[in-house]
Amino acid sequence: MAKSIVFENRLLKNRSLMQRLLGTASLNNLIFQSWVLKNRLFPAKRHPSREEYMTQQEEVFQERYEEKLDIWSDMPADRELASWFFDQLPEGDHHFLDIGTGRARDVEEFLRRRGGHGEGIDLVELENWGELRERWGERITLTSGSFLDYQPSKPFTAVSAVGVLGHQHPDDHAAFLARVREVLAPGGYFGLCAFHMKSEKTPGRLIYQDNRFWKFYSTNEIRELLEGAGFEWIDSYAQHHAFLPYLMTISRRKDA
């Protein structure tokens, strides 16, 4: 393994240090710009096919979770969508799904704050899922596998996805949103956190680095995608103080 990768992994494992570093907006911006520049100077020579990418992603995330390199699991900025989204949901019990749930932090937040049932899906099974199942019993369901192949027992009234759309293979962006709409009940709510272009004058950008796709969207691009996929746009806000700039959106399944 290259020395640079070893050093990066050691930094990622130091949760407290990384949270302090990535909690500084000016430093975040500097890191982000240098990261984008590196990707411009050293672009990937070849993009994987959809089939290659799906296999690759399982390996990438399995390694990152096993080696405790998933700093996104505990970064406050990555938990913002859940708090904002849950505040916007109508009163009453909900059947909630978190796509790309990881350690299921957002599912637990939902179960603490709202009545109903919470589900999470990710490519791989995580070691803390057993503990969560014991703690929450029948109120929680955690599933490993591809969301595009997921067949829930009943429709959801609320679905969230933090950063997941931007990591999809480019051939699957439309299929991903179509699948979200399919698993939502009529009028169900969708909370989407997408990688955001800092300037609305700049078109979206697709980067392939670190064995993953990173798709950054303008606000208009996200809105057009959602409305084209059968969602009614409700609200959004940009959050640029994290390492990666995010756009938080809430939309609702639109039915004739």
Side-chain angles (χ1 to χ4, degrees):
M1 184 182 293
K3 290 183 178 179
S4 61
I5 299 299
V6 172
F7 177 71
E8 175 189 348
N9 288 353
R10 286 177 178 173
L11 276 179
L12 291 173
K13 288 182 179 181
N14 190 328
R15 288 288 209 278
S16 60
L17 174 61
M18 291 306 295
Q19 288 191 23
R20 288 198 299 271
L21 288 176
L22 300 182
T24 306
S26 57
L27 180 59
N28 291 349
N29 186 62
L30 178 62
I31 294 173
F32 174 73
Q33 294 302 330
S34 64
W35 186 75
V36 171
L37 178 61
K38 180 182 72 172
N39 283 274
R40 286 178 176 172
L41 294 175
F42 306 104
K45 295 181 180 180
R46 173 184 172 275
H47 287 174
S49 68
R50 180 185 181 277
E51 291 72 22
E52 292 171 329
Y53 188 66
M54 289 299 296
T55 300
Q56 186 174 285
Q57 288 312 283
E58 291 185 31
E59 296 172 353
V60 166
F61 282 101
Q62 185 75 53
E63 177 186 9
R64 287 186 172 269
Y65 283 119
E66 288 181 351
E67 297 297 322
K68 305 295 191 295
L69 304 178
D70 54 309
I71 60 169
W72 58 84
S73 293
D74 297 306
M75 297 301 292
D78 289 85
R79 306 279 67 81
E80 277 191 27
L81 174 68
S83 296
W84 183 61
F85 182 46
F86 299 154
D87 285 342
Q88 311 304 315
L89 292 177
E91 292 299 321
D93 287 356
H94 284 276
H95 186 206
F96 167 68
L97 172 67
D98 181 36
I99 307 169
T101 194
R103 300 188 186 278
R105 304 286 198 247
D106 291 346
V107 179
E108 277 211 286
E109 177 72 8
F110 169 81
L111 294 174
R112 282 191 290 264
R113 294 181 53 179
R114 306 297 301 249
H117 183 265
E119 297 195 24
I121 183 170
D122 212 313
L123 289 173
V124 297
E125 174 107 3
L126 275 75
E127 81 282 353
N128 72 317
W129 284 10
E131 176 189 344
L132 295 179
R133 291 177 179 123
E134 289 184 7
R135 182 183 307 160
W136 295 102
E138 295 182 354
R139 291 191 63 196
I140 193 169
T141 300
L142 300 171
T143 305
S144 60
S146 169
F147 168 66
L148 294 179
D149 299 325
Y150 187 44
Q151 298 293 332
S153 59
K154 65 177 182 178
F156 298 94
T157 60
V159 172
S160 73
V162 177
V164 181
L165 178 62
H167 284 316
Q168 298 298 302
H169 190 279
D171 291 346
D172 283 338
H173 287 191
F176 179 87
L177 293 176
R179 190 75 188 114
V180 172
R181 190 179 186 282
E182 287 174 2
V183 302
L184 270 174
Y189 291 80
F190 180 34
L192 173 66
C193 176
F195 304 135
H196 194 217
M197 298 300 297
K198 290 193 171 185
S199 171
E200 290 300 325
K201 297 179 181 179
T202 305
R205 177 184 297 137
L206 178 67
I207 295 172
Y208 181 72
Q209 184 68 20
D210 191 27
N211 293 322
R212 283 179 288 176
F213 285 105
W214 305 76
K215 170 64 178 179
F216 293 82
Y217 308 84
S218 68
T219 302
N220 286 337
E221 185 177 10
I222 281 291
R223 182 163 187 165
E224 289 176 3
L225 281 173
L226 287 169
E227 291 179 342
F231 292 92
E232 176 188 358
W233 183 273
I234 296 176
D235 200 2
S236 72
Y237 79 93
Q239 183 263 79
H240 291 170
H241 60 264
F243 170 55
L244 292 173
Y246 287 137
L247 179 71
M248 317 287 192
T249 75
I250 294 180
S251 58
R252 182 167 49 211
R253 173 175 160 168
K254 187 176 181 180
D255 294 279

